[in-house]
Amino acid sequence: MAIEVEQKFSVSTDTRDKLVAIGATRKGCKSFTDIYYDTGDHSLTFQDFWLRKRDGSWQLKSPLKSYDSKPLTDKYKETETEDEILEMLRECGILSEGDCLLEQLLDANTLVAIAELTTRRETWLLSGPEIEGLSGGNVVLDSTNEGYEIGEVEVMVDTPTFASKAEEFVKDLATKIGNTSVAVPGGKLSFHLCKVNHSLWQQLIDRNVMRRP
């Protein structure tokens, strides 16, 4: 089971210089469009499940565990095959056993689009000593078509056993390269929903699912 542990941070004017200083390597830039989906009663987002199509491919980010309050570090399982996504949604009681294709759920309006975002992503690869249980470390600097900019430190772990170690790593690194004069921000989706669907955004804030941008 691949688990992504991530820490958001505010990008400062010297973030890129700091990345060079710690030995990170700029991999390049790409752009992509995400369309996020939810049920009519928001049974996905209220449980911190994020179902999206990224450039036409389905992805589901589901929380590693439930939280009483939203921590600074986020831990999600990432699922990218449709069969596994459907099975996970059934296990959580979000979909019924008869639901067989995500596209059919769109046609039936069981799933509806709640947000569409285009992002330009600049990726930096981390280097340095290997840390047991952690893999795929990188930093991404995202800017959206709405002008919102956010950074994120990401590492992958294979089992929940190493999640705490990964949390310590991403928190420490985000502090070193981000703008420490401001609070840890919410993500680009939080910024978008605040603008276009404030009612849903406020409900997610009240449920500690999202942070304010």
Side-chain angles (χ1 to χ4, degrees), residues 130-161:
E130 294 293 325
I131 300 176
E132 183 185 7
L134 275 61
S135 63
N138 61 70
V139 174
V140 298
L141 308 178
D142 286 349
S143 57
T144 72
N145 55 312
E146 297 172 321
Y148 189 61
E149 189 173 21
I150 187 73
E152 197 170 278
V153 183
E154 304 172 336
V155 296
M156 302 298 294
V157 296
D158 293 330
T159 66
T161 305

Side-chain angles (χ1 to χ4, degrees), residues 118-129:
T118 298
T119 301
R120 179 185 181 274
R121 170 164 292 177
E122 180 180 340
T123 301
W124 290 71
L125 302 180
L126 301 174
S127 60

Side-chain angles (χ1 to χ4, degrees), residues 3-17:
I3 298 167
E4 181 185 59
V5 181
E6 56 190 36
Q7 168 79 51
K8 294 177 176 63
F9 63 89
S10 291
V11 178
S12 60
T13 55
D14 60 351
T15 290
R16 290 169 179 81
D17 291 337

Side-chain angles (χ1 to χ4, degrees), residues 38-49 92-95:
D38 200 357
T39 61
D41 59 358
H42 304 302
S43 57
L44 286 172
T45 55
F46 283 176
Q47 297 186 63
D48 205 10
F49 282 75
C92 297
I94 296 171
L95 300 181

